[in-house]
Amino acid sequence: MSGSLIVVGTGIGFARITLEARAAISAADEVLYLVADPVSATAVEALNPRARSLDDLYEEGAPHRDAYERMTEAILEPVRAGKRVCAAFYGHPGVFVLPSHQAISRARSEGFDATMLPGVSAEDCLVADLGVDPAVNGLQSYEASDFLRRRPAIEPTTALVLWQIGVVGARTYSARGSAPALGQLVELLLERYPAGHGTVVYEASSYPGIPPLVREVGLGALSADAVTPASTLYVPPIPR
Ligand SMILES: C[S@@+](CC[C@H](N)C(=O)[O-])C[C@H]1O[C@@H](n2cnc3c(N)ncnc32)[C@H](O)[C@@H]1O
């Protein structure tokens, strides 16, 4: 039998997993998963007893890319051995998940079938929890470290979402997270927004019935103690 790969998302919190992702996890010969909460881990293992976590491939103090390379190869090894493999990542598996894209592209280049199914991302939850409709003013969405490095032109009358602000500027993995460049990020934003502009440090809830964390902070007052590795920053549009 020739191997294959299907990459799925488990959503932000397992209650948000899709029916097709559940079915793919259950049907696989091998499942490799990376999730952000213990309930999701237990649920993936309940769907498929052959499921194994990729979490221990992170190494404290080592570059993120090293861990992503190890994850990619851990996913591809059973594919090359002829297994039907499912890789499950929390949220949407294609949104800010390098090993999922790497594994699919390498698998295809080696002649294996490889597909991705969508999942419910943190930005999807933000749209619901904060009542943001991209139809009204548009939506700009960037990874925070990349935003700082490339300094893309932004439109302040359009809403802005910055991902991974809790690890902005961090070159290596740390389980607790650190945001050494948060001050620089704020300085950059202050070139386009007033210091008193209200922003939201947002964390979607992973559990039904538990509300999201919505911390309103004036842009000029945004500091590292307001953020965690799971935080996403929402900068509302300046009224036209
Ligand atoms: C490696 S990315 C994974 C994103 C994930 N694949 C998704 O679809 O949402 C991690 C970043 O996603 C965002 N994120 C993850 N969990 C979140 C949550 N519960 N609430 C808000 N943002 C979250 C944060 O910006 C975090 O730094």
Side-chain angles (χ1 to χ4, degrees), residues 49-95:
R50 294 175 296 284
R52 289 181 285 133
S53 173
L54 293 167
D55 202 40
D56 56 2
L57 298 181
Y58 279 118
E59 191 186 328
E60 194 72 21
H64 294 104
R65 279 191 176 263
D66 292 0
Y68 299 152
E69 178 60 28
R70 286 192 287 272
M71 289 178 194
T72 303
E73 285 302 309
I75 292 166
L76 289 174
E77 197 182 301
V79 175
R80 292 175 183 135
K83 302 275 174 55
R84 289 170 306 153
V85 176
C86 176
F89 293 88
Y90 76 93
H92 187 304
V95 175

Coordinates of all heavy atoms in Angstrom, one line a residue, residues 49-95:
P49 N -6.2 5.5 19.1 CA -5.2 5.1 20.1 C -3.7 5.1 19.6 O -2.8 5.0 20.4 CB -5.6 3.7 20.5 CG -6.6 3.2 19.6 CD -7.1 4.4 18.8
R50 N -3.5 5.1 18.3 CA -2.2 5.2 17.8 C -1.6 6.6 17.7 O -0.6 6.8 17.1 CB -2.1 4.5 16.4 CG -2.4 3.0 16.4 CD -2.5 2.4 15.1 NE -3.6 2.9 14.2 CZ -4.9 2.6 14.4 NH1 -5.2 1.7 15.3 NH2 -5.8 3.1 13.6
A51 N -2.4 7.6 18.2 CA -2.0 9.0 18.1 C -0.8 9.3 19.0 O -0.7 8.8 20.1 CB -3.1 9.9 18.5
R52 N 0.2 10.1 18.5 CA 1.4 10.4 19.2 C 1.6 12.0 19.2 O 1.4 12.5 18.1 CB 2.6 9.8 18.7 CG 2.8 8.3 18.9 CD 4.0 7.8 18.3 NE 4.0 7.7 16.8 CZ 4.9 8.1 16.0 NH1 6.0 8.7 16.5 NH2 4.8 8.0 14.7
S53 N 2.0 12.6 20.3 CA 2.2 14.0 20.3 C 3.5 14.4 19.7 O 4.5 13.7 19.8 CB 2.1 14.5 21.7 OG 2.4 15.9 21.7
L54 N 3.5 15.6 19.0 CA 4.8 16.1 18.5 C 5.4 17.1 19.4 O 6.5 17.6 19.2 CB 4.5 16.8 17.1 CG 4.0 16.0 15.9 CD1 3.5 16.9 14.8 CD2 5.2 15.1 15.4
D55 N 4.8 17.3 20.6 CA 5.2 18.3 21.5 C 6.7 18.2 22.0 O 7.4 19.1 22.2 CB 4.3 18.3 22.7 CG 4.2 19.6 23.4 OD1 4.3 20.7 22.7 OD2 4.2 19.6 24.7
D56 N 7.1 16.9 22.2 CA 8.4 16.7 22.7 C 9.5 17.0 21.7 O 10.7 16.9 22.0 CB 8.6 15.3 23.4 CG 8.3 14.2 22.4 OD1 8.0 14.5 21.3 OD2 8.3 13.0 22.9
L57 N 9.2 17.4 20.5 CA 10.2 17.7 19.5 C 10.7 19.2 19.6 O 11.6 19.6 19.0 CB 9.7 17.4 18.1 CG 9.4 16.0 17.8 CD1 8.9 15.7 16.4 CD2 10.6 15.1 18.1
Y58 N 9.9 19.9 20.5 CA 10.4 21.3 20.8 C 11.6 21.1 21.7 O 11.6 20.2 22.6 CB 9.4 22.1 21.5 CG 8.3 22.7 20.6 CD1 7.0 22.4 20.7 CD2 8.7 23.7 19.7 CE1 6.0 23.0 19.9 CE2 7.7 24.3 18.9 CZ 6.4 24.0 19.0 OH 5.5 24.5 18.2
E59 N 12.6 22.0 21.6 CA 13.7 22.0 22.5 C 13.9 23.4 23.1 O 14.1 24.4 22.3 CB 15.0 21.5 21.8 CG 16.1 21.2 22.7 CD 17.4 20.9 21.8 OE1 17.2 20.4 20.7 OE2 18.5 21.2 22.3
E60 N 13.9 23.5 24.4 CA 14.1 24.8 25.1 C 15.4 25.5 24.6 O 16.4 24.8 24.6 CB 14.1 24.5 26.6 CG 13.9 25.8 27.5 CD 12.5 26.3 27.5 OE1 11.5 25.7 27.2 OE2 12.4 27.5 27.8
G61 N 15.3 26.7 24.2 CA 16.5 27.5 23.8 C 17.0 27.2 22.4 O 17.9 27.9 21.9
A62 N 16.3 26.3 21.6 CA 16.8 26.0 20.3 C 15.9 26.8 19.3 O 14.7 27.1 19.6 CB 16.7 24.5 20.0
P63 N 16.4 27.0 18.1 CA 15.6 27.8 17.1 C 14.3 27.0 16.8 O 14.3 25.8 16.7 CB 16.5 27.8 15.8 CG 17.9 27.6 16.4 CD 17.8 26.8 17.6
H64 N 13.2 27.8 16.6 CA 11.9 27.2 16.2 C 12.0 26.3 15.0 O 11.4 25.2 14.9 CB 10.9 28.3 15.9 CG 10.5 29.1 17.1 ND1 11.0 30.4 17.3 CD2 9.8 28.9 18.2 CE1 10.6 30.9 18.4 NE2 9.8 30.0 19.0
R65 N 12.8 26.8 14.0 CA 12.9 26.0 12.7 C 13.4 24.6 12.9 O 13.0 23.7 12.2 CB 13.8 26.8 11.7 CG 13.0 27.9 11.1 CD 13.7 28.5 9.9 NE 12.8 29.5 9.4 CZ 12.0 29.3 8.3 NH1 12.0 28.2 7.7 NH2 11.2 30.3 7.9
D66 N 14.3 24.4 13.9 CA 14.8 23.1 14.1 C 13.7 22.1 14.5 O 13.6 21.0 14.1 CB 15.9 23.1 15.3 CG 17.1 23.8 14.9 OD1 17.2 24.3 13.7 OD2 18.1 23.9 15.7
A67 N 12.8 22.6 15.4 CA 11.7 21.8 15.9 C 10.7 21.5 14.7 O 10.2 20.4 14.5 CB 10.9 22.5 17.0
Y68 N 10.5 22.5 13.9 CA 9.6 22.4 12.7 C 10.1 21.3 11.8 O 9.4 20.5 11.2 CB 9.3 23.7 12.0 CG 8.7 24.7 12.9 CD1 8.9 26.1 12.7 CD2 7.9 24.4 14.0 CE1 8.3 27.1 13.5 CE2 7.3 25.3 14.8 CZ 7.6 26.7 14.6 OH 7.0 27.6 15.4
E69 N 11.4 21.3 11.6 CA 12.1 20.3 10.7 C 11.9 18.9 11.2 O 11.5 18.0 10.5 CB 13.5 20.7 10.5 CG 14.3 19.7 9.6 CD 13.8 19.6 8.2 OE1 13.2 20.6 7.7 OE2 14.0 18.5 7.6
R70 N 12.1 18.8 12.6 CA 11.9 17.5 13.2 C 10.5 17.0 13.1 O 10.2 15.8 12.8 CB 12.3 17.5 14.7 CG 13.8 17.6 14.9 CD 14.2 17.3 16.4 NE 13.9 18.4 17.2 CZ 14.7 19.5 17.5 NH1 15.9 19.5 16.9 NH2 14.3 20.4 18.3
M71 N 9.5 17.9 13.2 CA 8.1 17.6 13.1 C 7.8 17.1 11.7 O 7.1 16.1 11.5 CB 7.2 18.8 13.5 CG 7.2 19.1 15.0 SD 6.2 20.5 15.4 CE 6.8 20.9 17.0
T72 N 8.3 17.9 10.7 CA 8.0 17.5 9.3 C 8.5 16.1 9.0 O 7.8 15.3 8.5 CB 8.7 18.5 8.4 OG1 8.3 19.9 8.7 CG2 8.5 18.3 6.9
E73 N 9.7 15.8 9.5 CA 10.2 14.5 9.2 C 9.5 13.4 10.0 O 9.3 12.3 9.5 CB 11.8 14.5 9.4 CG 12.5 15.2 8.3 CD 12.3 14.6 6.9 OE1 12.4 13.4 6.7 OE2 11.9 15.3 6.0
A74 N 9.1 13.7 11.2 CA 8.3 12.7 12.0 C 7.0 12.4 11.3 O 6.6 11.2 11.4 CB 8.1 13.3 13.4
I75 N 6.4 13.4 10.7 CA 5.2 13.1 9.9 C 5.4 12.3 8.7 O 4.7 11.4 8.3 CB 4.5 14.5 9.6 CG1 4.0 15.2 10.8 CG2 3.3 14.3 8.6 CD1 3.7 16.7 10.6
L76 N 6.5 12.6 8.0 CA 6.8 11.9 6.7 C 7.3 10.5 6.8 O 7.1 9.7 5.9 CB 7.8 12.8 5.9 CG 7.2 14.1 5.3 CD1 8.2 14.9 4.7 CD2 6.0 13.8 4.4
E77 N 7.9 10.2 8.0 CA 8.5 8.9 8.1 C 7.5 7.8 7.9 O 7.7 6.9 7.1 CB 9.2 8.8 9.5 CG 10.2 7.6 9.6 CD 10.8 7.6 11.0 OE1 11.4 8.6 11.5 OE2 10.5 6.6 11.7
P78 N 6.4 7.8 8.6 CA 5.4 6.7 8.4 C 4.7 6.8 7.0 O 4.3 5.7 6.4 CB 4.3 6.9 9.5 CG 4.6 8.3 10.0 CD 6.0 8.6 9.7
V79 N 4.6 8.0 6.4 CA 4.1 8.1 5.0 C 5.0 7.3 4.1 O 4.5 6.5 3.3 CB 4.0 9.5 4.5 CG1 3.6 9.6 3.1 CG2 3.1 10.4 5.4
R80 N 6.3 7.5 4.3 CA 7.3 6.8 3.4 C 7.3 5.3 3.6 O 7.6 4.5 2.8 CB 8.7 7.3 3.6 CG 8.9 8.7 3.2 CD 10.2 9.3 3.6 NE 10.4 10.7 3.2 CZ 10.9 11.6 4.0 NH1 11.3 11.4 5.2 NH2 11.0 12.9 3.5
A81 N 6.8 4.9 4.8 CA 6.7 3.4 5.2 C 5.4 2.8 4.7 O 5.1 1.7 5.0 CB 6.9 3.3 6.7
G82 N 4.6 3.6 3.9 CA 3.4 3.1 3.4 C 2.1 3.3 4.2 O 1.0 2.7 3.9
K83 N 2.2 4.1 5.3 CA 1.0 4.3 6.2 C 0.1 5.4 5.7 O 0.6 6.4 5.1 CB 1.5 4.5 7.6 CG 2.4 3.5 8.2 CD 1.5 2.4 8.8 CE 2.3 1.2 9.3 NZ 3.3 1.4 10.2
R84 N -1.2 5.3 6.1 CA -2.1 6.5 5.9 C -1.9 7.3 7.1 O -2.4 6.9 8.2 CB -3.5 6.0 5.7 CG -3.8 5.3 4.4 CD -5.2 4.6 4.5 NE -5.3 3.8 5.6 CZ -6.4 3.5 6.3 NH1 -7.6 3.9 5.9 NH2 -6.4 2.7 7.3
V85 N -1.3 8.5 7.0 CA -0.9 9.3 8.1 C -1.9 10.5 8.2 O -2.2 11.2 7.2 CB 0.5 9.8 8.0 CG1 0.9 10.7 9.2 CG2 1.4 8.5 8.0
C86 N -2.3 10.8 9.5 CA -3.0 12.1 9.7 C -2.2 12.9 10.6 O -1.8 12.5 11.7 CB -4.4 11.8 10.4 SG -5.3 13.3 10.8
A87 N -1.9 14.2 10.2 CA -1.2 15.1 11.1 C -2.3 16.2 11.6 O -3.0 16.8 10.7 CB -0.1 15.8 10.4
A88 N -2.4 16.3 12.9 CA -3.5 17.2 13.4 C -2.9 18.3 14.2 O -2.0 18.1 15.1 CB -4.4 16.4 14.3
F89 N -3.2 19.5 13.8 CA -2.7 20.7 14.5 C -3.8 21.6 15.0 O -4.9 21.6 14.4 CB -1.9 21.6 13.5 CG -0.6 21.0 13.1 CD1 -0.6 20.1 12.0 CD2 0.6 21.1 13.8 CE1 0.6 19.5 11.5 CE2 1.8 20.5 13.3 CZ 1.8 19.7 12.2
Y90 N -3.6 22.2 16.2 CA -4.8 23.0 16.7 C -5.1 24.2 15.8 O -4.2 24.7 15.0 CB -4.5 23.4 18.2 CG -3.5 24.6 18.3 CD1 -3.9 25.9 18.4 CD2 -2.1 24.3 18.4 CE1 -3.1 26.9 18.6 CE2 -1.2 25.4 18.6 CZ -1.7 26.7 18.7 OH -0.8 27.7 18.9
G91 N -6.3 24.7 15.9 CA -6.7 25.8 15.1 C -6.9 25.3 13.6 O -7.3 24.2 13.4
H92 N -6.6 26.2 12.7 CA -6.5 25.8 11.3 C -5.1 25.3 11.0 O -4.1 26.0 11.3 CB -6.8 27.1 10.4 CG -7.0 26.8 9.0 ND1 -6.0 26.1 8.2 CD2 -8.0 27.0 8.1 CE1 -6.4 26.0 7.0 NE2 -7.6 26.5 6.9
P93 N -4.9 24.1 10.4 CA -3.6 23.6 10.3 C -2.7 24.3 9.3 O -1.5 24.0 9.2 CB -3.9 22.1 9.8 CG -5.2 22.2 9.0 CD -6.0 23.3 9.7
G94 N -3.3 25.2 8.5 CA -2.5 25.9 7.5 C -2.2 27.3 7.9 O -1.6 28.1 7.1
V95 N -2.7 27.7 9.1 CA -2.5 29.1 9.5 C -1.4 29.2 10.5 O -1.5 28.7 11.7 CB -3.8 29.7 10.1 CG1 -3.7 31.1 10.6 CG2 -4.9 29.7 9.0

